[in-house]
Amino acid sequence: MKKEVAVIGLGYVGLPSVINHAENGHQVTGFDIDQRKVDLLNQGTSHINTVADETVQGLLEQGVIFTADEQLVLHKDVYIIDVPTPIDDKKTPNLSYIQAAISMLEGKVKKGALIVLESTTYPGTTEEYLVNRFTSLGYEIGTDLFIAYSPERIDPGNTQSLGAKIPRIVAGYTEHCLAQAKAFFGEHVTPVSDLKTAELAKIYENTFRLVNIALADELQKISDNLAIDAGEVIEAAATKPFGFMKFTPNLGIGGHCIPVDPYYLTWLMNKRGVETPLIEVAGKINDSMLDYYLQKLEEYMAVNDKKLTDLNVAVLGITYKKNIADTRMSGVITLMERLKKLGINVVAFDDVLHAYDLETVEKIHCLKENYDQLKDFDLVIYAVGHDLYEAKKSLIVENSQLFYDLTTV
Ligand SMILES: NC(=O)c1ccc[n+]([C@@H]2O[C@H](COP(=O)([O-])OP(=O)(O)OC[C@H]3O[C@@H](n4cnc5c(N)ncnc54)[C@H](O)[C@@H]3O)[C@@H](O)[C@H]2O)c1
């Protein structure tokens, strides 16, 4: 049945969510506090490189509304909350965006509505922040307001993970809440017994990745010490068709999920007096990789009779992973900051960055296939193997005085 749906937060998760619900025939309003994103969307321009402008234009033609006006999310049938859940410098969860989204909804939610939190967060959040708040406002959850948690699993840039195709976990505060959520998302969802189980399942998925990437990082150090190619070891192990999953070493995991979500768990467990040493060590290994790769880079320069300092360096690719324009917590950006602190002149190129990001991220250039300009640099650090760079890699190497490949070390 066609519903009036409001998606709160129009980022990497929220915008694809708008697309899915519009495709399912619902009347969707996308709300974001960032007026610049809303204006771009209303001009038919996507601020996310994994969503095409044509898709946004199609949404507008279909009647989707993009707005920063709180009044336009009044009395919807369904609210989907897709706001950020970052950590602060001390790796403490920052729930202020969820809090702000809920405060904004107060007084706007009609009886009978369904609210689904999709943001990743620690077990207990949905009950603490949504159920308790709306109960205190006089709603009876499960009778006249339905609250569910359904973690988003999208992997931007990964075409296998496009919204509706990914299996979805759903939990409701009550049986009725779950039934409402299942009716909305479709019967193919996997229901779990309570909100906390769904919240923990999502964090466990991402913690699993952190721990395994840390193991691959450690393999890199072991292989280097034994003068073995870590990449070849990983590819060889990955030929085993069962019981092994391929993860690769990393300069430092970036993005909004893997370097963030596990700390929601360690923070909660720390508060409850439970130790989580494996997760903490994995986080420390991840944090150690930048120094490790810097040291390897210095060794590479020494082999070429050069010192890292006083160099003119080009960095190619600055996003946290290939083919997406997201620079959040990108290890490459931290690497560039470290190089600059050493007095090195660093010029960054990234042709995947979107116009929106180029305005936000300072002084990033596009190569625009003009590989010749790389000759001006003493060293080219190939940091992110975007497909468009991989396709021209031999040209990039040819035009580099010295070429250091971070995508294969
Ligand atoms: N990016 C991913 O790959 C991914 C995948 C799965 C889950 N998640 C989770 O989904 C959530 C959202 O992540 P994202 O990557 O889409 O973040 P994002 O930063 O790309 O988008 C969040 C959007 O919310 C907006 N916003 C902030 N406060 C708001 C408010 N009070 N009301 C309305 N809009 C508000 C921001 O302006 C931004 O546009 C996070 O919890 C994240 O951990 C992310």
Side-chain angles (χ1 to χ4, degrees):
M1 202 176 84
K2 184 173 171 169
K3 302 258 185 200
E4 290 212 8
V5 178
V7 176
I8 313 298
L10 299 173
Y12 281 88
V13 167
L15 186 56
S17 171
V18 168
I19 298 168
N20 281 340
H21 300 310
E23 272 173 3
N24 287 338
H26 300 301
Q27 170 61 56
V28 186
T29 301
F31 170 83
D32 202 293
I33 51 169
D34 185 339
Q35 186 70 52
R36 196 158 68 99
K37 281 185 191 169
V38 169
D39 289 346
L40 273 177
L41 289 166
N42 279 324
Q43 288 157 21
T45 306
S46 167
H47 58 283
I48 290 173
N49 79 317
T50 47
V51 173
D53 291 349
E54 294 72 30
T55 307
V56 174
Q57 288 150 20
L59 292 172
L60 292 170
E61 276 160 26
Q62 213 180 314
V64 168
I65 292 166
F66 294 111
T67 184
D69 179 353
E70 296 181 2
Q71 291 313 313
L72 295 189
V73 299
L74 198 66
H75 297 166
K76 299 296 174 192
D77 301 315
V78 180
Y79 294 92
I80 308 285
I81 302 178
D82 289 330
V83 295
T85 45
I87 46 173
D88 66 16
D89 291 348
K90 296 196 175 103
K91 300 193 162 155
T92 304
N94 173 358
L95 276 275
S96 65
Y97 298 93
I98 290 186
Q99 180 63 67
I102 293 164
S103 302
M104 187 274 291
L105 289 179
E106 286 174 12
K108 298 190 179 65
V109 177
K110 69 178 181 187
K111 295 217 162 170
L114 166 69
I115 307 179
V116 185
L117 179 64
E118 290 190 328
S119 301
T120 308
T121 183
Y122 62 81
T125 306
T126 312
E127 187 164 344
E128 210 176 299
Y129 282 77
L130 278 116
V131 172
N132 292 352
R133 183 65 195 141
F134 282 99
T135 301
S136 75
L137 291 171
Y139 294 88
E140 200 172 321
I141 314 302
T143 305
D144 57 20
L145 181 64
F146 304 96
I147 292 180
Y149 180 74
S150 181
E152 180 52 65
R153 288 168 155 172
I154 196 169
D155 182 12
N158 175 353
T159 45
Q160 285 178 321
S161 87
L162 293 174
K165 291 186 196 144
I166 320 170
R168 176 175 279 278
I169 293 173
V170 177
Y173 179 62
T174 68
E175 279 302 313
H176 283 121
C177 296
L178 176 61
Q180 291 282 335
K182 278 171 69 178
F184 178 65
F185 285 111
E187 288 301 315
H188 65 283
V189 299
T190 304
V192 293
S193 54
D194 55 32
L195 297 169
K196 283 183 184 157
T197 303
E199 289 163 331
L200 183 53
K202 170 67 192 181
I203 296 201
Y204 181 56
E205 288 168 20
N206 284 351
T207 304
F208 170 85
R209 290 174 68 191
L210 171 73
V211 169
N212 281 284
I213 292 167
L215 182 60
D217 289 339
E218 199 154 286
L219 176 78
Q220 174 78 64
K221 295 177 181 175
I222 293 167
S223 306
D224 286 346
N225 181 268
L226 296 173
I228 296 170
D229 180 346
E232 197 178 348
V233 174
I234 293 167
E235 291 304 334
T239 58
K240 184 178 179 187
F242 50 88
F244 183 83
M245 197 178 274
K246 180 178 152 182
F247 291 89
T248 47
N250 206 287
L251 184 62
I253 310 163
H256 187 28
C257 296
I258 304 169
V260 172
D261 305 344
Y263 294 109
Y264 271 62
L265 206 49
T266 51
W267 172 84
L268 180 67
M269 288 300 101
N270 190 25
K271 256 192 9 168
R272 297 172 70 91
V274 176
E275 292 183 356
T276 49
L278 181 60
I279 306 173
E280 278 157 35
V281 168
K284 281 187 187 140
I285 293 174
N286 178 48
D287 292 344
S288 76
M289 291 312 283
L290 186 72
D291 280 326
Y292 183 71
Y293 282 122
L294 260 176
Q295 191 192 322
K296 280 183 63 141
L297 181 57
E298 271 172 21
E299 286 163 13
Y300 171 77
M301 297 307 288
V303 168
N304 287 284
D305 289 329
K306 291 239 159 77
K307 278 197 171 161
L308 248 186
T309 40
D310 303 327
L311 285 187
N312 216 3
V313 174
V315 172
L316 223 54
I318 65 150
T319 59
Y320 85 85
K321 67 172 178 177
K322 69 177 198 168
N323 298 338
I324 67 152
D326 196 343
T327 57
R328 284 177 294 181
M329 298 185 84
S330 166
V332 186
I333 292 183
T334 320
L335 172 75
M336 292 195 305
E337 283 162 6
R338 291 283 297 275
L339 293 175
K340 283 178 190 165
K341 273 195 190 145
L342 292 172
I344 299 167
N345 180 41
V346 183
V347 177
F349 295 91
D350 199 311
D351 291 69
V352 164
L353 280 192
H354 195 275
Y356 176 85
D357 306 283
L358 286 169
E359 279 176 33
T360 316
V361 185
E362 278 178 43
K363 295 183 192 145
I364 307 299
H365 306 267
C366 291
L367 262 184
K368 295 192 177 144
E369 303 210 6
N370 181 5
Y371 304 104
D372 212 39
Q373 57 189 309
L374 293 175
K375 287 186 178 139
D376 298 340
F377 297 92
D378 305 306
L379 168 72
V380 172
I381 299 178
Y382 187 70
V384 184
H386 294 312
D387 285 350
L388 55 85
Y389 290 158
E390 284 290 288
K392 302 284 176 173
K393 197 166 174 180
S394 52
L395 260 179
I396 293 169
V397 176
E398 268 170 39
N399 282 284
S400 305
Q401 292 189 35
L402 278 176
F403 179 81
Y404 190 70
D405 192 346
L406 269 176
T407 67
T408 57
V409 289

